[in-house]
Amino acid sequence: MDIKKQSTNYIVQGICMVTLLNLCCSLAAKFWGYDLLVPQIVSTVYILILEVTASLLWRWVALNHRDMLPTFYTAVSGFRFLSALLVMLICYLAVGKEIIMTYIMVFLLFYMLSLIHHSIFFAKVSNRL
């Protein structure tokens, strides 16, 4: 299996997922009259940074320290959760409690789908290693 190719595939899939989510959010905002632009931007930037970073780190670990992959998966899950909490705390401090629920709902959609993508992708890849 070509680890570099799989890493690139993960990034491309992540970008496609975020693009599709942005399209869905934009359509929802248009039809229901919500202002979702800033929550979309926050969620998009967070997920893209997380997806690219996880992919590049996975590539490095898989190529150089294959025995550390289980630890890597656990660390990524913990970091993902803690960084998501930090992002939502910063959003809460920035926008207040009046509109934080909009941020949480949009962010949660992006977060959950990226978590599903991460789990399915690395389960398949781990079975091939």
Side-chain angles (χ1 to χ4, degrees):
M1 178 178 70
D2 186 16
I3 292 173
K4 291 181 181 181
K5 182 179 176 187
Q6 291 297 325
S7 175
T8 304
N9 285 343
Y10 182 75
I11 293 171
V12 169
Q13 289 172 6
I15 291 170
C16 291
M17 177 190 64
V18 168
T19 303
L20 183 63
L21 284 169
N22 275 310
L23 177 63
C24 291
C25 284
S26 296
L27 289 173
K30 182 167 178 72
F31 287 124
W32 290 301
Y34 294 117
D35 182 21
L36 301 178
L37 182 61
V38 177
Q40 276 181 257
I41 292 171
V42 169
S43 300
T44 298
V45 169
Y46 173 80
I47 295 301
L48 287 177
I49 288 172
L50 195 68
E51 296 273 322
V52 170
T53 304
S55 176
L56 296 177
L57 284 173
W58 174 78
R59 178 191 303 178
W60 184 80
V61 171
L63 289 173
N64 299 315
H65 303 285
R66 188 167 285 184
D67 58 322
M68 298 298 291
L69 280 172
T71 305
F72 167 78
Y73 297 134
T74 304
V76 167
S77 295
F79 178 76
R80 176 188 304 266
F81 180 72
L82 292 175
S83 63
L85 288 176
L86 181 63
V87 167
M88 285 296 95
L89 175 65
I90 292 169
C91 287
Y92 175 75
L93 295 173
V95 301
K97 59 179 155 178
E98 295 81 30
I99 62 171
I100 191 63
M101 202 51 146
T102 304
Y103 280 78
I104 290 172
M105 296 308 291
V106 172
F107 189 81
L108 191 60
L109 176 66
F110 278 73
Y111 180 84
M112 292 304 291
L113 287 175
S114 105
L115 191 61
I116 291 168
H117 172 243
H118 175 88
S119 299
I120 292 171
F121 183 86
F122 286 116
K124 287 181 180 178
V125 168
S126 293
N127 290 336
R128 294 183 203 156
L129 288 178

